[in-house]
């Protein structure tokens, strides 16, 4: 759904410019709160500076429903917002939330995953079709993400460093690729923060290893054996971080102890991904899906 400048899409309900819900002020879209770990220096002045981590991002909307002469429509809008924020699929399932999409002038649409913490209407002037509205949301992951995901699919058997030049005559030289973007296995996070990929391995294959070449980090599933058409998905996103079968079953036991899902991110810019597996048919595939990540709108 396209958005206009100064519009916000909360779980499919659009508010802001040009709608019946006017957004007067928005806070919480700047630097997220810090979860500090400083420690007092024993028997000394000052503190030891520990790591600073981002806390959840708290977003507040000072808004008002304005539908002159129609109090029933005002009540209906409040009910619509309550219904979308109270949805059991987002409220009662760990790690789930609503998509908050944001459009600002001169910027592409970006989104956060949020939970509603407050939806407080004031009905004193509802008879006139005016209802001030206080909305508070919490994004457990404070990073902004691109509105649309990016996807690339990697087959087995491609040489990311080049191949043989035909005709093959002795002596044989291996030619290197010269443009990284033209070689398979490259992914690009066009944002300014680490992105977290979802990786789907589709069989037939066995003994799978996925490697982020720049960092050297690998995810290894040494005992995994996938039949043709079956797949396993590794989700590295904060709040998810699961390994699941195509039928929804837990496949995390196939992941080796040294494999760290929580560190397997895509830094800003271009990264090379490689994967290896046993596949006699050369039909197995690795699909990598991610959203460009940003520290700011």
């Amino acid at each position: 759904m396209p958005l206009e400048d100064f519009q916000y899409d909360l779980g499919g309900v659009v508010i802001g410019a040009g709608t019946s819900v006017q957004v007067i002020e928005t806070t919480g879209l700047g630097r997220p709160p810090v979860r500090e770990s400083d420690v007092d220096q024993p028997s000394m002045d000052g503190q030891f500076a520990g790591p600073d981590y981002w806390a959840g991002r708290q977003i507040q909307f000072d808004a008002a429903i304005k539908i002159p002469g129609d109090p029933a429509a005002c009540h209906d809008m409040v009910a619509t917002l309550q219904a979308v924020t109270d949805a059991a699929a987002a409220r009662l399932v760990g790690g789930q939330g609503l998509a908050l999409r944001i459009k600002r002038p001169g910027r592409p649409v970006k989104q956060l995953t949020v939970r509603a913490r407050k939806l407080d209407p004031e009905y004193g002037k509802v008879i006139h079709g005016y209802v001030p509205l206080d909305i508070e949301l919490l994004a457990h992951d404070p990073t902004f993400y691109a509105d649309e995901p990016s996807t690339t699919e990697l087959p087995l058997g491609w040489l990311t460093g080049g191949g043989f030049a035909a005709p093959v005559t002795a002596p044989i030289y291996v030619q290197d690729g010269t443009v990284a973007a033209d070689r398979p296995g490259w992914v690009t996070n066009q944002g300014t923060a680490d992105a977290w990929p979802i990786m789907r391995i589709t069989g037939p294959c066995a003994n799978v290893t996925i490697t982020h070449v720049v960092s050297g980090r690998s995810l290894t599933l040494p005992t995994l054996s996938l039949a043709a058409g079956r797949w396993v998905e590794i989700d590295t996103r904060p709040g998810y971080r699961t390994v699941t079968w195509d039928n929804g079953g837990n496949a995390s036991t196939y992941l080796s102890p040294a494999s760290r899902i929580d560190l397997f991110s895509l830094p800003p810019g271009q990264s090379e991904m490689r994967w290896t597996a046993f596949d006699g048919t050369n039909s197995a595939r690795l699909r990598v899906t991610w959203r460009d990540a940003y520290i700011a709108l």
Side-chain angles (χ1 to χ4, degrees):
M1 179 190 303
L3 293 179
E4 302 295 331
D5 289 345
F6 295 112
Q7 286 188 339
Y8 308 85
D9 177 354
L10 178 58
V13 179
V14 178
I15 63 175
T19 73
S20 61
V21 182
Q22 299 180 351
V23 176
I24 302 165
E25 185 61 57
T26 307
T27 60
L29 297 179
R31 193 173 190 264
V34 173
R35 182 163 49 89
E36 54 84 15
S37 53
D38 300 338
V39 179
D40 290 342
Q41 296 266 34
S43 304
M44 295 180 65
D45 295 333
Q47 293 181 312
F48 174 78
D52 285 347
Y53 300 99
W54 299 131
R57 181 185 294 277
Q58 297 181 352
I59 304 164
Q60 293 85 31
F61 290 104
D62 181 8
I65 301 171
K66 189 175 181 181
I67 311 175
D70 196 343
C74 293
H75 283 286
D76 289 342
M77 177 52 69
V78 173
T80 298
L81 289 168
Q82 287 181 327
V84 72
T85 55
D86 288 350
R91 184 171 57 86
L92 299 179
V93 180
Q96 298 297 316
L98 300 170
L100 173 64
R101 304 169 61 233
I102 302 168
K103 179 67 174 75
R104 288 299 176 92
R107 310 297 287 176
V109 176
K110 294 175 184 174
Q111 65 171 251
L112 299 155
T113 299
V114 300
R115 291 271 186 97
R117 289 294 178 259
K118 187 177 183 181
L119 181 63
D120 191 9
E122 298 178 13
Y123 288 119
K125 298 180 180 179
V126 67
I127 192 66
H128 303 296
Y130 185 79
V131 177
L133 194 60
D134 189 6
I135 303 173
E136 183 175 312
L137 308 170
L138 176 64
H140 295 85
D141 178 2
T143 306
F144 297 99
Y145 292 96
D147 195 38
E148 297 293 335
S150 300
T151 300
T152 188
E153 190 168 274
L154 286 67
L156 279 171
W158 286 64
L159 299 177
T160 58
F164 292 107
V168 179
T169 57
I172 299 174
Y173 298 94
V174 177
Q175 61 181 24
D176 286 332
T178 56
V179 182
D182 292 337
R183 303 200 305 263
W186 291 83
V187 298
T188 302
N189 169 16
Q190 299 184 35
T192 55
D194 286 353
W196 299 93
I198 302 172
M199 293 163 288
R200 178 176 294 188
I201 309 150
T202 302
C205 61
N207 190 9
V208 174
T209 297
I210 305 170
T211 302
H212 181 257
V213 176
V214 174
S215 67
R217 298 189 180 108
S218 293
L219 301 177
T220 304
L221 299 91
T223 61
L224 178 67
S225 181
L226 284 171
R230 294 214 66 186
W231 52 262
V232 161
E233 191 167 85
I234 303 173
D235 191 340
T236 69
R237 293 175 299 167
Y240 296 85
R241 292 184 175 149
T242 55
V243 186
T244 55
W245 281 101
D246 47 13
N247 59 10
N250 182 16
S252 60
T253 56
Y254 290 96
L255 202 64
S256 70
S259 299
R260 293 285 301 273
I261 296 181
D262 60 322
L263 298 179
F264 202 88
S265 61
L266 304 177
Q270 196 175 68
S271 299
E272 185 178 7
M273 300 282 289
R274 294 179 182 173
W275 78 297
T276 60
F278 293 112
D279 172 22
T281 68
N282 197 28
S283 60
R285 295 290 184 270
L286 171 66
R287 188 175 73 188
V288 184
T289 302
W290 72 98
R291 291 180 186 266
D292 300 333
Y294 301 85
I295 60 173
L297 278 175

